[in-house]
């Protein structure tokens, strides 16, 4: 088992394919990511770019087969999660690594009261008595802004609003005090006011509990509000990584630039937003050379022939593009 004490999460050259009857789908093509405790790393890209496979592989939820880990490591607190037995991963999930999702209604059990769902986690992972678990559940409802509400504990999911359900799901995710929180598009289904409240809540939780957070989104505008660092993923490859400020002030990669130009902005009112032409390639059919070349306004002949190497441009800012000098 490989050891590294530097980061909470350290993904090195992780490369995953899905083997199907019609051929292999290359979902992740050697990605590198790190997250330190107390840091929010955002992973941004369009649907189908590899964000979900990344989060599912950290949770140990990528089924092998049909998935195959071609190479790489996924170190959590220095221990490689790849190849860990299911029983070990079950112990980590929920307790050490927790996840919140886009649509809480899908993940909350409609037939169980909220209190039963939160206390179940505490009894299972922290061996609490039922009474202790109820007290703790009330504390965490308070932390996520719902107050120490017995009414919420005694409600079924359908009796709560969308924003309350998302807060409940966050309470469930953090109640065992995880070191790493994965937030998969947690605000996409919410209206703008609620989005801002949930982003603020996640930022406060990161500080309060010193958690590392992997924040997954397709929206650079949202990510700008919350992330310390940002990695942009395209066709299973990280194409640019930088601090929040550097990514927006000194954008290097044409794909990141295209994502930025598609963000709605009050100043662009009355102007058409620029959509990125074409679509993300299927993982079975990734273009040769730079995977972005069929959509890239700067593409040259070499772009379809040679895969660009990821280069470091200083201050932790890296990009993989032939045309960045
Ligand atoms: Fe565009 Fe070429 Fe850079 Fe790829 S390598 S992003 S195609 S300029």
């Amino acid at each position: 088992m490989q050891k590294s004490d530097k980061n909470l999460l350290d993904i090195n050259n992780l490369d995953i394919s899905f083997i199907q009857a019609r051929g292999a789908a290359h979902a992740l093509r050697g990605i590198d990511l790190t997250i330190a405790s107390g840091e929010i790393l955002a992973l941004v890209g369009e649907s189908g770019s590899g964000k979900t496979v990344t989060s599912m592989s950290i949770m140990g939820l990528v089924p092998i087969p049909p998935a195959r880990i071609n190479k790489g490591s996924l170190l959590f607190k220095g221990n490689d999660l790849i190849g860990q037995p299911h029983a070990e991963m079950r112990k980590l999930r929920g307790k050490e690594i927790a996840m919140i999702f886009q649509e809480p209604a899908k993940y909350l059990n409609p037939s169980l009261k909220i209190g039963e769902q939160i206390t179940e986690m505490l009894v299972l992972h922290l061996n609490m008595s039922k009474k202790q678990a109820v007290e703790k559940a009330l504390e965490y409802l308070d932390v996520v802004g719902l107050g120490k509400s017995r009414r919420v504990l005694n409600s079924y999911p359908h009796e709560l609003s969308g924003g309350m359900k998302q807060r409940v799901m966050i309470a469930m995710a953090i109640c065992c005090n995880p070191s790493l929180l994965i937030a998969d598009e947690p605000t996409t289904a919410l209206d703008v006011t609620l989005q801002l409240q949930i982003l603020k809540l996640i930022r406060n939780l990161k500080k309060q509990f010193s958690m590392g957070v992997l924040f997954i989104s397709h929206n650079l505008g949202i990510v700008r509000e919350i992330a310390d660092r940002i990695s942009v993923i395209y066709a299973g490859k990280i194409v640019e990584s930088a601090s929040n400020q550097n990514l927006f002030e000194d954008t290097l990669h044409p794909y990141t630039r295209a994502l930025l130009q598609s963000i709605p902005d009050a100043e662009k009112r009355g102007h058409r937003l620029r959509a990125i032409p074409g679509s993300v390639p299927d993982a079975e059919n990734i273009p040769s050379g730079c995977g972005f070349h069929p959509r890239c306004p700067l593409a040259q002949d070499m772009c379809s022939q040679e895969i660009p190497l990821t280069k470091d441009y200083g201050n932790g800012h890296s990009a993989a593009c032939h045309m960045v000098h």
Side-chain angles (χ1 to χ4, degrees), residues 116-127:
E116 291 169 83
Q117 301 192 49
I118 303 181
T119 54
E120 190 184 9
M121 302 275 299
L122 293 161
V123 172
L124 178 74
H125 289 300
L126 301 184
N127 291 323

Side-chain angles (χ1 to χ4, degrees), residues 253-255 290-294 296-300 302-304 306 308 320-324:
H253 198 280
Y255 179 58
C290 170
F292 188 54
H293 83 258
C296 180
L298 302 184
Q300 305 289 318
M302 73 181 300
C303 298
S304 59
E306 284 175 39
C321 170
H322 294 304
M323 297 301 145
V324 178

Side-chain angles (χ1 to χ4, degrees), residues 56 61 109 121 153 161 166 169 195 204 224 232 234 238 245 254 259 269 271 289 293 305:
M56 289 298 153
L61 293 174
N109 186 332
M121 302 275 299
L153 277 194
S161 69
Q166 191 54 286
M169 184 182 260
Q195 271 184 8
N204 289 343
R224 186 175 206 164
V232 179
Y234 185 80
I238 303 292
Q245 190 179 2
L259 285 178
R269 195 179 289 243
H271 296 270
H293 83 258
Q305 291 152 18

